[in-house]
Amino acid sequence: MSDRTVGFGAIGLAFVGLLTLTAFGLVRGTDGADETTINPSEVAPDFDLTLFDGGEFSLSDHAGKPIVINFWASWCPPCREEAKLLERTWAVYEDRGVVYVGVDTQDSELPAREFLESFAVTYPNGIDTDNAVSRSYRAFDLPTTVFVDRRGTIVKRWIGAISEQQLVGWADEIVARGAEQR
């Protein structure tokens, strides 16, 4: 065998290995709650995000409100799976004072805007251009959904497409937690 053939073989093996790791990450991302990377009861890290509509979102501006933070990307199949559910539940929970915010990460602006338009997403969304917000929440697998109570405490974290039962149950939980302090 020539050195060239061996070189192409090594590149091919490296590519297959990378694909395998990527596939493992996507599959692993559907396993669910991951309490090893963020400790529930941890204070939610503050962040500022420029929204796709040109506005600004600052977590600290919503202190005292229950918050659902969803980390997503336009290329992520499970993100597409849960997009309509998130929009539908936000429409219900907005009246109950729950703030939803979408954090687009590991993505480009144009595909992200097309994603939001195709799923008619209307709750605030912005792009995490430098992945700083994603890193602070350790949202490396997508989608990741984080539930923050009125005290600013992370109550739940879910990796993978969230089910309606989980989303509604945990949204109810963050609405109820700390309600006596309003």
Side-chain angles (χ1 to χ4, degrees), residues 71-119:
F71 294 87
W72 62 276
S74 62
W75 51 262
C76 162
C79 299
R80 301 181 80 74
E81 183 179 319
E82 71 180 11
K84 288 182 182 179
L85 171 62
L86 286 161
E87 176 64 24
R88 188 171 63 248
T89 58
W90 173 75
V92 171
Y93 283 91
E94 178 186 25
D95 291 340
R96 296 178 66 190
V98 178
V99 174
Y100 275 50
V101 63
V103 180
D104 177 42
T105 185
Q106 305 171 35
D107 207 355
S108 299
E109 186 174 346
L110 182 58
R113 287 181 179 278
E114 290 170 350
F115 175 95
L116 293 171
E117 187 177 317
S118 70
F119 291 104

Side-chain angles (χ1 to χ4, degrees), residues 10-11 14 18 24 26 47 56-58 67 81 90 132 153 172:
I11 290 171
L18 181 61
F24 175 74
L26 289 173
F47 64 90
E56 295 290 324
F57 180 93
S58 179
I67 302 168
E81 183 179 319
W90 173 75
T153 303
D172 285 341

Side-chain angles (χ1 to χ4, degrees), residues 126-138:
I127 193 165
D128 185 14
T129 54
D130 60 1
N131 298 320
V133 179
S134 304
R135 282 194 309 273
S136 71
Y137 280 84
R138 297 178 206 78

Side-chain angles (χ1 to χ4, degrees), residues 156-179:
K156 300 282 184 187
R157 180 173 191 271
W158 186 259
I159 298 172
I162 195 162
S163 72
E164 186 167 6
Q165 180 181 0
Q166 291 162 318
L167 182 56
V168 169
W170 292 344
D172 285 341
E173 183 177 338
I174 62 173
V175 167
R177 284 177 64 119

